[in-house]
Amino acid sequence: MKILGIDSSGLVASVAVVQDGTLLGEYTTNYKKTHSQTLLPMLDELKKMIELDLGSLDAIAIAAGPGSFTGLRIGSATAKGLGMALEKPLVEVPTLEGLAYNLCGAQALVCPIMDARRNQVYTGIYEFVQEDAEVPGAEGEIRTVLRTVMEQTAMDVRDLLKELERLGRQVIFLGDGVAVYRDLIRKECTVPYGFAPAHVNAQRAGSVAALGEVYFGQGKTVSAAAHQPTYLRKSQAEREKEERGAKA
């Protein structure tokens, strides 16, 4: 099984290929240029470095949202174009699940936060549990499974902290919202908490591809033509238009 992962849902642009549980290559940047300038050149470079025949892919895993409206559209268009040209299915990986998967195996709750402006974050709450893998010939093998404690949503960061207080468990924060809300978290978080280190703090296509491999095995695919990003809320332009209409 060979999965191409794409994530341009936030500040990071990232592409990766996972084959049968092995990360063959990953190209990630988090520096200034827009995703429209970087994503396809990064994919082309990765393709050369690992001698990838795109036709050998089984599926394309895409960080499906929420996130930056522009970034999601660029990633979606790239995945749809590749999927249609190669006649390959897409695996829609919710952005927050992909982020949480960076910390696969963590004992604490995992809480990705992406800055959504206006004191809001895109967020979800996740945990990792161990289950019997039930692999023939490998009795006793354990697999680590991502479970959703709170579905991804857009919410006020203080409401998120109240929900974590209600759960009463240790939590690890990650995502671009950490830089924005770190001081607030330190001041108002009432449960034991920590922040993910730099190398796993941001979106990674390797995690999207790895989780995409799991979901592909479960049959969770869509056609390239049917894929649409998940925005969770209206864009700023749409909100401003509605506000102008309300005042008219």
Side-chain angles (χ1 to χ4, degrees):
M1 190 186 303
K2 189 181 293 182
I3 307 293
L4 169 66
I6 299 173
D7 195 328
S8 60
S9 59
L11 300 175
V12 169
S14 185
V15 294
V17 175
V18 166
Q19 181 175 7
D20 298 329
T22 297
L23 179 64
L24 298 184
E26 183 176 34
Y27 194 155
T28 299
T29 61
N30 185 16
Y31 189 74
K32 293 184 179 180
K33 290 185 179 179
T34 63
H35 299 330
S36 60
Q37 295 175 291
T38 57
L39 206 57
L40 285 175
M42 288 165 57
L43 176 57
D44 186 57
E45 187 65 23
L46 179 62
K47 176 174 171 289
K48 293 175 183 176
M49 291 296 292
I50 64 173
E51 300 179 344
L52 173 67
D53 174 9
L54 291 175
S56 70
L57 295 170
D58 290 288
I60 300 163
I62 177 69
S68 157
F69 284 78
T70 300
L72 289 175
R73 289 177 183 133
I74 292 169
S76 174
T78 302
K80 285 169 73 76
L82 287 170
M84 294 176 74
L86 299 169
E87 298 183 341
K88 304 294 182 181
L90 269 57
V91 181
E92 297 174 324
V93 176
T95 300
L96 280 305
E97 292 183 20
L99 252 175
Y101 212 63
N102 287 3
L103 300 181
C104 184
Q107 298 299 306
L109 292 176
V110 176
C111 184
I113 52 174
M114 298 174 64
D115 184 24
R117 309 293 176 87
R118 299 188 176 190
N119 290 320
Q120 286 203 329
V121 290
Y122 295 122
T123 187
I125 302 174
Y126 305 91
E127 64 180 351
F128 291 96
V129 297
Q130 293 186 332
E131 297 180 349
D132 188 338
E134 298 182 349
V135 178
E139 287 73 15
E141 182 176 336
I142 299 297
R143 65 177 181 177
T144 302
V145 178
L146 175 70
R147 283 190 177 171
T148 300
V149 177
M150 184 184 79
E151 293 283 353
Q152 62 178 20
T153 186
M155 66 190 303
D156 186 283
V157 67
R158 286 185 169 87
D159 290 336
L160 171 62
L161 295 178
K162 290 177 183 177
E163 176 61 19
L164 290 168
E165 180 179 13
R166 187 189 69 79
L167 293 170
R169 294 173 56 187
Q170 182 179 355
V171 61
I172 302 173
F173 294 98
L174 71 160
D176 61 49
V178 168
V180 179
Y181 295 107
R182 189 191 305 269
D183 290 343
L184 177 64
I185 291 170
R186 285 173 170 165
K187 181 179 179 181
E188 299 191 16
C189 188
T190 59
V191 296
Y193 67 89
F195 300 109
H199 66 291
V200 288
N201 180 61
Q203 284 92 330
R204 292 185 57 181
S207 292
V208 172
L211 193 52
E213 186 176 44
V214 174
Y215 291 165
F216 180 80
Q218 297 171 351
K220 297 179 180 179
T221 65
V222 299
S223 69
H227 166 66
Q228 294 293 331
T230 301
Y231 296 114
L232 287 188
R233 69 177 195 179
K234 297 177 181 178
S235 68
Q236 181 176 346
E238 290 172 316
R239 293 196 303 270
E240 289 177 350
K241 182 177 180 181
E242 289 181 354
E243 289 172 2
R244 289 195 298 270
K247 294 176 181 178

